[in-house]
Amino acid sequence: MPDVERLERTLEAKAATLPKERERFDTWWFLVLAVVGVVSLLVFVKPDPFLRIVLFLRDGIGVTVRITVISFAFILVVGLIGGLGRLAKNWLIHGIASLYVEIIRGIPLLVQLLFLYFAFPQVLDGVGAWLIKLSPSLHGAGQWLVDVKPDPFVMAVAGLTICYGAYMSEIYRAGIQSISKGQMEAARSLGMSYFQAMRYVILPQAVRVILPPVGNEFVALLKDSSLVSVVAVSDMTRRGREFMSSSFMSLETWTMVALLYLVMTLFASRVVAYIERKTAFAK
Amino acid sequence: MQNEIIVIQGAVKRFGRVEALRGVDLTVRRGEVVVIIGPSGSGKSTLLRCINHLESLDEGCIIVDGIPLTQAENINRVRAEVGIVFQQFNLFPHLTALENITLAQRVVRKRSREESERIAMELLKKVGIPEKAHAYPAQLSGGQQQRVAIARALAMQPKIMLFDEPTSALDPEMIKEVLDVMLALAKEGMTMVVVSHEMGFARAAADRIIFMDEGVIVEETTPELLFTAPKHERTKLFLSKILH
Ligand SMILES: Nc1ncnc2c1ncn2[C@@H]1O[C@H](COP(=O)(O)OP(=O)(O)OP(=O)(O)O)[C@@H](O)[C@H]1O
Ligand SMILES: [Mg+2]
C-alpha cells in the first residue's frame, strides 16, 4: 500500500529530528534490570521451587501473551467502528454505538466474562429450543445452537474484545474529534468521500493523538487478561493457581507470577513509548 | 456551454434561529472575478460554503456549471469543479507540501504518483515555492502555507475558485505574495468568487463587487462605482470603516 509506505517515510524522517528521552530511558532500564535480576536470582539461588514455578507457568505465559495480542487486534477494529458510530449523524447508528459503549462501561469485566461463559450458552440453548419449536425447517440451526459448547479461549477473546472495544471506541471518538473540523472540510472540498477523508486525512492525525491512551489500554489489557482465568483459560494466573493448589506454596507462587507480569508490562510500555516517539510529528 | 457558471436563486440558510442567508440571488459568469465584502456575520462565508455544499441550503437553489446541487452524486461532481481556499489554510499537517497537493489527485482523480507529482511541482513553481516541496506545513510561513493551499485546490483543475478571506490570517508582509498568486489566476481567466476586504485586489482584479449585510446582497456594483458612488447608506458606512 503506497500510503503506508509514505507514512513510514514521514515517520522515520520525524523520529530523527526528535530529542531522545534520556531520563525515562534510564528509569526503565533500572526497573527492568532490577526485576529481571530478582527473577534470575530466585531461579538460580533457589531453583526449588522457583525454577519449577517458572517452568510450570511457561505455557500460561504464552497463553496470556496470545490472548492479549489477539484480543487487542480485534479491539482496535471494534473501537474504530464504535468510535465512528458514536460520531455518526445517523441517529440509529449513533444510538446503537452509544448504547453499546454505555452498557458495557457500566458492567465489570469479570461479570461480563462470567456472563459470556456461563450464562450466554443458556441463552443459546433457549434460542435453539425456540427455533426447533418454531419450525421443522429450522431444526438444524436450533440443534446446533443447543449443542454448541463455548470454547474458553474464544469466549475469553470475545469478552475482552467487547469490553475493551467500548473503552477504545471512546478513545477513537475523542481522537477524531480532536482533529479540527477544517481538516474534514478541506478533504471533502477536494472531492474526497467521507471514508477517503477519514482514511487519508483524519485517522493518520488522530492515530498520533490516541497512541498514548491506546498504549495504556494495551498494558491494562495485559493485566486484565488475568481475569480470563475464571473461565477455564489456562493463562499465567490460572497456571499459578494450579501450581499453588498442588504445592501449597502461595508466597513463592504469587511472587513469581507478579514478577513475570511486571516484566511483561514493563516491556509492553517500552514498546508503546517507542512507537509514540516514532510517530510524533512537528505540530 | 452556457455563459453563466454559478446561478444562485433565493438562497436561504438557517442555523437554528439565526438566518445566515435570507434570500440571495447571484449569477456569476464564466471567467468573472466577483469580490464579496460586508461586515462580520453578514453571511459571506456561508454563501461560499453553500456553493460547494459544505453547507446545504434550506430554501432556494444553486446551479453550478449547469448541475443543480440537489442529489448527493451531484455534490461530488460539483465539488470536483469548485476549489476553495480557507482563511485558516487547512493544510494537512501530517503531509509535506507536495503530498498535500498530490493526495486528492491520487485518491479522487486516480492519477499515478508520477503524474500527480509532476502536476504538483508545476503548481508549486507557479505559486513561487518549488523549493518547499518536501517541507511540512509547520515548517512554512503563513503566506507559504496559503500558497500551497491554493496549489492544492488548483491541482484538481477546478473551473471555479472560491476564496474565503485568504489573507486575513496573514502578517502584512505576506499578504502580497498571496494576492499576487490570486491576481495571476484572475488574469488567466479563472472564475473566482473572493471574500476579501483587500481593496487593492478588488480594484485590480474584480469585475464586480458585492456588498452583503445581514444575509442579503445590499449592493452590486463595479469597483470604480463602489468607491466613487456607493448607492446605499449601509455601503457608505461600511466603506468608511474599512478604508483606513
Ligand atoms: N456552523 C454554524 N452554526 C451556527 N451559526 C453559524 C454557523 N456558521 C455561521 N453561523 C452564523 O451565521 C451568520 C453568518 O456567518 P458567516 O460566517 O457566513 O459570516 P461572515 O460574513 O463570513 O462573517 P466573518 O466576516 O466574520 O467571517 C453569523 O451570524 C454566524 O454566527
Ligand atoms: Mg467568514
Side-chain angles (χ1 to χ4, degrees):
Chain A
M1 268 194 306
D3 48 306
V4 169
E5 189 184 293
R6 179 183 50 204
L7 191 67
E8 278 170 2
R9 253 197 300 121
T10 314
L11 302 185
E12 274 160 27
K14 279 298 149 199
T17 65
L18 284 164
K20 295 272 179 296
E21 288 180 26
R22 271 278 153 232
E23 202 192 326
R24 261 167 76 185
F25 194 72
D26 290 342
T27 339
W28 181 81
W29 271 113
F30 173 79
L31 250 175
V32 164
L33 286 178
V35 176
V36 172
V38 170
V39 172
S40 340
L41 203 71
L42 289 174
V43 168
F44 281 113
V45 175
K46 276 192 81 182
D48 188 32
F50 288 110
L51 185 59
R52 262 174 56 214
I53 296 176
V54 172
L55 290 178
F56 192 85
L57 291 178
R58 204 171 44 189
D59 299 341
I61 298 173
V63 172
T64 290
V65 169
R66 220 163 352 121
I67 223 161
T68 305
V69 170
I70 293 174
S71 302
F72 200 67
F74 284 114
I75 289 164
L76 287 175
V77 176
V78 170
L80 177 60
I81 296 169
L84 289 177
R86 289 274 272 172
L87 291 168
K89 289 214 182 78
N90 181 308
W91 66 268
L92 186 63
I93 297 174
H94 174 85
I96 292 172
S98 301
L99 269 181
Y100 162 62
V101 170
E102 298 302 342
I103 291 174
I104 295 302
R105 284 200 306 182
I107 302 171
L109 174 55
L110 181 56
V111 176
Q112 288 180 38
L113 287 169
L114 292 170
F115 183 91
L116 251 187
Y117 190 65
F118 295 108
F120 186 61
Q122 282 186 31
V123 176
L124 291 186
D125 285 352
V127 173
W130 180 73
L131 281 181
I132 291 169
K133 248 203 303 195
L134 195 68
S135 139
S137 62
L138 293 170
H139 191 278
Q143 195 57 47
W144 183 80
L145 283 178
V146 173
D147 289 342
V148 71
K149 287 273 165 296
D151 176 64
F153 190 86
V154 171
M155 284 305 182
V157 169
L160 292 174
T161 301
I162 291 170
C163 179
Y164 269 72
Y167 292 101
M168 198 61 81
S169 299
E170 287 300 272
I171 294 176
Y172 272 105
R173 182 185 60 73
I176 292 169
Q177 277 180 328
S178 76
I179 308 303
S180 85
K181 269 178 75 187
Q183 292 288 308
M184 179 55 96
E185 289 186 347
R188 296 307 299 276
S189 74
L190 290 165
M192 284 185 229
S193 69
Y194 174 82
F195 287 104
Q196 286 173 332
M198 269 293 160
R199 172 163 170 213
Y200 295 106
V201 176
I202 308 296
L203 288 178
Q205 296 179 60
V207 160
R208 294 155 163 91
V209 178
I210 67 176
L211 252 172
V214 167
N216 290 343
E217 290 296 289
F218 183 78
V219 175
L221 176 69
L222 183 57
K223 292 182 288 179
D224 274 353
S225 73
S226 64
L227 291 172
V228 304
S229 59
V230 301
V231 294
V233 175
S234 291
D235 76 324
M236 193 157 80
T237 303
R238 194 180 177 93
R239 293 294 280 172
R241 271 218 317 251
E242 286 166 9
F243 189 86
M244 189 191 67
S245 56
S246 63
S247 67
F248 303 104
M249 286 187 277
S250 312
L251 178 64
E252 293 83 348
T253 311
W254 293 119
T255 304
M256 194 45 90
V257 170
L259 285 170
L260 290 177
Y261 270 114
L262 192 52
V263 172
M264 282 158 67
T265 52
L266 276 172
F267 274 99
S269 49
R270 192 70 201 142
V271 171
V272 169
Y274 175 78
I275 296 173
E276 264 170 50
R277 247 199 346 241
K278 276 247 159 187
T279 52
F281 68 102
K283 276 255 177 199
Chain B
M1 197 148 88
Q2 75 278 54
N3 198 24
E4 284 142 10
I5 194 162
I6 306 174
V7 179
I8 303 171
Q9 283 168 347
V12 173
K13 174 69 190 175
R14 299 185 195 92
F15 294 105
R17 289 260 178 79
V18 182
E19 279 207 311
L21 299 179
R22 299 186 300 139
V24 172
D25 300 299
L26 175 68
T27 302
V28 179
R29 287 185 298 278
R30 223 168 271 280
E32 202 176 17
V33 177
V34 175
V35 168
I36 303 178
I37 61 172
S40 183
S42 56
K44 308 180 298 291
S45 299
T46 306
L47 183 62
L48 278 200
R49 293 162 58 80
C50 284
I51 294 176
N52 76 343
H53 212 277
L54 287 175
E55 308 283 359
S56 53
L57 285 183
D58 291 311
E59 286 169 36
C61 71
I62 297 184
I63 300 170
V64 177
D65 201 17
I67 309 167
L69 273 189
T70 40
Q71 295 113 11
E73 76 225 61
N74 286 349
I75 291 162
N76 283 331
R77 272 168 68 202
V78 165
R79 283 214 181 108
E81 303 203 348
V82 183
I84 184 163
V85 174
F86 304 91
Q87 182 176 352
Q88 298 301 337
F89 327 135
N90 293 343
L91 288 183
F92 307 134
H94 60 302
L95 302 178
T96 62
L98 191 76
E99 291 163 343
N100 262 277
I101 305 171
T102 54
L103 178 62
Q105 295 190 63
R106 295 181 61 192
V107 305
V108 178
R109 291 274 192 251
K110 312 283 179 211
R111 289 181 191 142
S112 69
R113 172 194 286 268
E114 291 70 30
E115 193 192 358
S116 53
E117 285 186 352
R118 184 180 55 71
I119 292 172
M121 279 315 296
E122 272 169 26
L123 286 167
L124 279 172
K125 277 191 201 114
K126 184 169 170 172
V127 300
I129 39 172
E131 75 280 6
K132 297 292 183 190
H134 298 290
Y136 286 89
Q139 299 164 327
L140 299 174
S141 74
Q144 292 169 337
Q145 288 189 54
Q146 193 60 299
R147 285 187 279 163
V148 173
I150 294 174
R152 178 176 71 176
L154 289 176
M156 304 307 286
Q157 285 151 340
K159 295 182 182 158
I160 304 165
M161 284 286 285
L162 310 174
F163 292 83
D164 190 1
E165 308 203 36
T167 57
S168 53
L170 296 178
D171 293 335
E173 70 269 22
M174 294 167 190
I175 291 178
K176 188 173 175 300
E177 64 192 40
V178 172
L179 290 180
D180 284 346
V181 169
M182 290 168 60
L183 266 176
L185 211 52
K187 290 231 174 66
E188 286 171 20
M190 175 66 79
T191 308
M192 292 164 65
V193 181
V194 183
V195 174
S196 174
H197 293 148
E198 291 296 333
M199 286 304 141
F201 173 80
R203 233 187 271 260
D207 297 301
R208 252 191 311 159
I209 296 196
I210 282 165
F211 174 65
M212 278 185 80
D213 196 10
E214 294 181 356
V216 291
I217 293 178
V218 174
E219 184 158 351
E220 203 180 311
T221 176
T222 60
E224 299 79 45
L225 284 176
L226 179 79
F227 295 115
T228 53
K231 278 182 283 205
H232 293 263
E233 247 350 278
R234 276 198 276 178
T235 320
K236 279 182 207 162
L237 195 68
F238 179 71
L239 283 176
S240 72
K241 281 194 197 132
I242 63 163
L243 284 181
H244 35 200

